[in-house]
Structure formats: structure tokens, C-alpha cells
Amino acid sequence: KQEVTQIPAALSVPEGENLVLNCSFTDSAIYNLQWFRQDPGKGLTSLLLIQSSQREQTSGRLNASLDKSSGRSTLYIAASQPGDSATYLCAVRSNTGNQFYFGTGTSLTVIP
Amino acid sequence: KAGVTQTPRYLIKTRGQQVTLSCSPISGHRSVSWYQQTPGQGLQFLFEYFSETQRNKGNFPGRFSGRQFSNSRSEMNVSTLELGDSALYLCASSWGGDFNEQYFGPGTRLTVT
């Protein structure tokens, strides 16, 4: 069974810092990996989708990379802002059983 | 275009009752997936429907069921509610292909007393 782990579980940084969130998965047989943010009590907002054949995707201040062979993805946030405070989740779509598996998330706080 | 909508947004039920939650996908999307989110277990996959057929199923008991209609709207039903069913239930829609991006609704907060 696919297992997805996110480190760290919580992170607090001053505004303006660049930061990296980590996601690791145990089974490299995936279709894609998607990064989301979730604000308290709300649904998930899609940030970036990386297909299994891709190495990275960029959107604004966000850059996500994927190393399928080592089972790792990173989400890089440049010049962090207080509005970036949220929980960040990664999810993989496994092509074994064709299910989605989510990590436990990283709770990010950006201090003004 | 309109996003994924879920109704109701909040629900309080009593143990033993049953509940039906509704999800309307983004126009044109044919796949709807359901998830349960709890503080202890995180986000867990319930099932996925595509063109009115259940395509995938997570590891939940048979009390959890769903269906999808011809207009791609989906409903999820939980029978004989237990206290542990209290959770945020999220649905996500996509075009339907294995490589497609998922878009989530705001969720239904279910509280079982």
C-alpha cells in the first residue's frame, strides 16, 4: 500500500523567507503528484500538478519538483507572505489500484 | 466557471441515523471522488465515480455508499451512523482521465452525536 509522508509537520517562518516543504512516497508507480493548500475548515485548493513523466512545475512563487525514482517531491515557496499561512498537502495517484493517497500535511505559519 | 459545490455545508445527525451528501462537479467533469478527513486519520479516499460507474473504492465499510447521476452529480450515503463518522467530507471532480487534476469542493462538515 502506498504511504505518503510530509516533513516537517509544522513550520513557522518570518515573512520574506524562502522555504521548502517535503513529500515522500513509498511506491513509485504513480500517474501524478498534486500539491494542495487547505485553509482551516475549508476545502483544498490545487496548487500544482506534476505528471509522472515531468520533473517540475512552476506557478508564480511556487515551484514543485518530482523525483519519482527516489519517491520524493518538494514544494518551494519563494518570498513567503502571511497569506501563505495554511496547511499544505501532497497527494499521489497510484497506478496500482488507481487510488489517491494523501500525506498528513505541513502546517505553515508565516509571521509578519 | 463555477467550482465544485457540496450540500449541505454542515450537518448534525444522531448515532444510528443515515445521511446523504451531495456534490455537483465542475461543468464538463465526469469524475467525482469522495474523501473523509479527520484529525486522526487525515484525508482518506472513499470512492470514485466516472460516468455513473464506481471506478475505485477505498477501504471503508459497506455503510458508505455512493452513486453518480447522468449529469455527473454525485451523492454519498452513510447508513447507521457512528460517532467516528464525524468528519469533513470532501468531494473532488476532474475530467476523468488518470492524469487529470482534481478540484475540490468546500466540504460538508458532519457531526454525529
Side-chain angles (χ1 to χ4, degrees):
Chain A
K1 179 192 167 188
Q2 177 78 267
E3 291 185 9
V4 183
T5 306
Q6 290 187 247
I7 294 173
L11 184 62
S12 185
V13 301
E15 182 177 1
E17 254 196 31
N18 302 325
L19 57 101
V20 174
L21 307 181
N22 297 292
C23 172
S24 61
F25 48 96
T26 55
D27 186 350
S28 63
I30 63 171
Y31 285 117
N32 54 44
L33 183 147
Q34 196 168 350
W35 282 93
F36 298 89
R37 68 173 278 168
Q38 185 176 31
D39 294 284
K42 302 290 180 63
L44 277 64
T45 300
S46 178
L47 298 173
L48 289 164
L49 171 72
I50 310 178
Q51 302 295 354
S52 59
S53 59
Q54 297 176 318
R55 298 285 294 185
E56 66 178 300
Q57 282 286 344
T58 298
S59 176
R61 294 182 295 111
L62 305 179
N63 176 276
S65 67
L66 174 64
D67 185 342
K68 200 174 69 164
S69 61
S70 67
R72 293 181 186 175
S73 176
T74 60
L75 178 66
Y76 174 83
I77 303 177
S80 58
Q81 303 170 358
D84 295 331
S85 298
T87 296
Y88 289 79
L89 294 147
C90 69
V92 297
R93 180 156 191 156
S94 174
N95 61 26
T96 307
N98 204 8
Q99 283 197 23
F100 293 98
Y101 296 90
F102 275 83
T104 48
T106 294
S107 177
L108 172 66
T109 302
V110 180
I111 304 165
Chain B
K1 61 184 172 183
V4 179
T5 58
Q6 292 187 245
T7 57
R9 293 293 312 281
Y10 303 91
L11 207 49
I12 300 175
K13 289 287 188 178
T14 304
R15 214 169 17 170
Q17 288 186 315
Q18 75 165 14
V19 67
T20 299
L21 312 181
S22 180
C23 173
S24 293
I26 291 171
S27 178
H29 284 190
R30 295 169 64 192
S31 168
V32 173
S33 299
W34 288 90
Y35 298 84
Q36 180 195 66
Q37 187 176 31
T38 59
Q41 299 295 320
L43 262 158
Q44 293 185 285
F45 173 74
L46 281 155
F47 29 65
E48 178 189 14
Y49 285 86
F50 177 76
S51 293
E52 302 178 65
T53 301
Q54 187 180 86
R55 185 158 71 169
N56 297 298
K57 189 177 189 305
N59 191 25
F60 277 80
R63 299 186 297 107
F64 292 82
S65 63
R67 60 178 176 168
Q68 187 179 34
F69 302 95
S70 58
N71 61 358
S72 294
R73 189 178 70 86
S74 177
E75 287 182 347
M76 189 192 91
N77 185 275
V78 188
S79 62
T80 320
L81 284 165
E82 300 176 0
L83 295 178
D85 297 332
S86 294
L88 180 66
Y89 289 89
L90 295 161
C91 83
S93 77
S94 74
W95 290 105
D98 294 326
F99 298 92
N100 293 151
E101 188 169 2
Q102 290 192 94
Y103 297 87
F104 278 77
T108 294
R109 171 73 64 185
L110 171 65
T111 302
V112 182
T113 60

